[in-house]
Amino acid sequence: PTLFQRIVEGQRLPDAWNGAVLDRSGQIVARSRATEKFAGQPARPGLVAALRATPEGSVRSVTLDGTPARSFFSRSPTYGWTFVIGYP
């Protein structure tokens, strides 16, 4: 998790945006905002359903901290982990 957290933080996303790394089951491993609060929690069900349907895409949802967002995701075909970027 520490390595993924450094990678997410290194992206220097705008303050209102959110980036996250999810494991194969859709659990949050690293996050650009409030990692300590959300690490280990599952991503929103709508996002997880989209991840299971296709390896890359986008979905409109609400972040775990309540912000309506458009989220874009890409899943690694080798490891099954997913990188997600969302913006309000």
Side-chain angles (χ1 to χ4, degrees):
T2 303
L3 175 63
F4 288 116
Q5 187 62 39
R6 278 189 268 162
I7 292 169
V8 170
E9 290 170 358
Q11 302 308 303
R12 294 181 274 160
L13 297 173
D15 290 339
W17 291 30
N18 191 41
V21 175
L22 311 177
D23 68 12
R24 290 179 184 169
S25 68
Q27 300 256 354
I28 298 168
V29 175
R31 195 170 189 267
S32 62
R33 297 183 316 178
T35 304
E36 64 286 343
K37 181 177 180 181
F38 296 111
Q41 291 189 25
R44 292 284 189 183
L47 176 58
V48 173
L51 298 174
R52 291 191 175 133
T54 184
E56 293 185 330
S58 69
V59 62
R60 286 182 188 240
S61 64
V62 176
T63 65
L64 290 174
D65 43 10
T67 304
R70 166 70 82 178
S71 297
F72 295 85
F73 59 89
S74 180
R75 183 176 62 237
S76 165
T78 305
Y79 301 104
W81 290 44
T82 303
F83 188 73
V84 182
I85 294 179
Y87 67 90

